[in-house]
């Protein structure tokens, strides 16, 4: 299998970019983009660092980010597994991309920009939930944003094909694949209750 290594060769394989795909790009949040992002409870944060790339799912039961102004988003870093892969990357390479999704919507909104981390007392306290605060807040400066073509979600039927979780391994099964003695069924059965007091 021969890899493509030249930009000119790549470009010969595709038609010219659809004009609207270029003209739709904005550099600041407009009222409509604000409306979309405020409705999004889930996004994927992509970062890059010396060890490679990372894409991390982020979610909340309200807006997943806070819009501070037309070019600034705050993303609280709620409790997780403490790998902090994305955060390590941001410290060393501040480029980030966020992909915002809204259930039932075929489009996706992407924000490309830069970010830094803060443990500012007031910023963290402003997100307090159930007596807890995020360890840090990711401050994103918007470089560009645009909505993505709907074809990927349409092809996949992401919101319309129903629950397909029975087709894939559980978290417990993944862990048992690494450790034959791991109690996968017990882990899976108890995880929802385990997670409830640890969501924020």
């Amino acid at each position: 299998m021969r890899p493509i290594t030249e930009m000119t060769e790549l470009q010969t394989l595709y038609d010219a970019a659809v004009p609207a795909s270029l003209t739709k790009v904005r550099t600041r949040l407009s009222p409509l983009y604000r409306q979309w992002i405020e409705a999004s409870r889930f996004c994927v944060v992509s970062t890059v660092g010396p060890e490679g790339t990372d894409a991390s799912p982020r979610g909340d039961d309200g807006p997943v980010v806070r819009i501070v102004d037309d070019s600034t988003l705050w993303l609280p870093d709620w409790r997780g597994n403490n790998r902090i892969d994305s955060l390590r990357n941001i410290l060393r390479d501040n480029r980030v991309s966020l992909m915002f999704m809204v259930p039932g919507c075929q489009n996706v909104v992407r924000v490309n920009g830069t970010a830094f981390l803060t443990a500012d007392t007031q910023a963290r306290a402003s997100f307090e939930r159930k007596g807890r605060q995020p360890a840090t807040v990711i401050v994103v400066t918007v470089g560009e944003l645009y909505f993505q073509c709907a074809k990927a979600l349409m092809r996949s039927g992401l919101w319309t094909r129903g629950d397909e979780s029975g087709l894939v391994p559980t978290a417990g099964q993944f862990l048992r694949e690494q450790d034959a003695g791991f109690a996968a069924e017990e882990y899976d059965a108890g995880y929802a209750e385990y997670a409830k007091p640890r969501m924020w």
Side-chain angles (χ1 to χ4, degrees):
M1 185 180 296
R2 184 182 66 83
I4 297 169
T5 58
E6 297 295 332
M7 193 68 69
T8 52
E9 181 185 1
L10 177 63
Q11 290 172 333
T12 64
L13 299 173
Y14 291 87
D15 295 329
V18 176
S21 72
L22 304 176
T23 59
K24 69 184 178 182
V25 177
R26 300 187 63 97
T27 57
R28 298 177 71 82
L29 295 174
S30 68
L32 292 181
Y33 278 104
R34 279 177 169 263
Q35 182 180 345
W36 180 286
I37 290 172
E38 286 172 346
S40 178
R41 302 188 310 272
F42 176 83
C43 73
V44 177
V45 179
S46 296
T47 59
V48 62
E51 293 84 15
T53 62
D54 182 71
S56 176
R58 302 299 174 113
D60 217 320
D61 65 352
V64 68
V65 299
R66 177 181 299 157
I67 297 173
V68 178
D69 57 42
D70 288 348
S71 60
T72 310
L73 307 173
W74 285 4
L75 173 61
D77 190 59
W78 290 113
R79 302 171 77 181
N81 57 20
N82 294 321
R83 284 182 55 110
I84 61 173
D85 297 313
S86 298
L87 307 185
R88 293 179 200 273
N89 282 350
I90 289 169
L91 280 180
R92 297 172 294 176
D93 186 326
N94 68 354
R95 293 174 295 171
V96 296
S97 291
L98 296 87
M99 216 173 241
F100 294 94
M101 300 183 193
V102 176
C105 294
Q106 303 286 30
N107 290 305
V108 172
V109 165
R110 178 195 281 183
V111 170
N112 297 324
T114 58
F116 66 86
L117 309 175
T118 184
D120 178 82
T121 302
Q122 290 183 328
R124 291 174 57 235
S126 73
F127 288 101
E128 186 165 328
R129 295 284 300 275
K130 300 182 179 180
R132 296 193 178 101
Q133 298 177 7
T136 58
V137 175
I138 302 171
V139 179
V140 177
T141 299
V142 175
E144 61 178 9
L145 72 159
Y146 50 89
F147 69 90
Q148 300 266 184
C149 168
K151 293 185 186 73
L153 272 69
M154 292 171 67
R155 280 192 293 263
S156 67
L158 184 63
W159 309 122
T160 58
R161 293 191 183 173
D163 185 350
E164 297 179 351
S165 60
L167 302 176
V168 298
T170 65
Q173 289 169 333
F174 278 122
L175 292 167
R176 185 166 59 196
E177 186 177 50
Q178 297 292 106
D179 174 4
F182 185 78
E185 291 77 12
E186 182 180 332
Y187 177 88
D188 290 331
Y191 188 79
E193 285 303 312
Y194 167 84
K196 277 183 183 177
R198 297 171 173 83
M199 300 292 278
W200 292 277

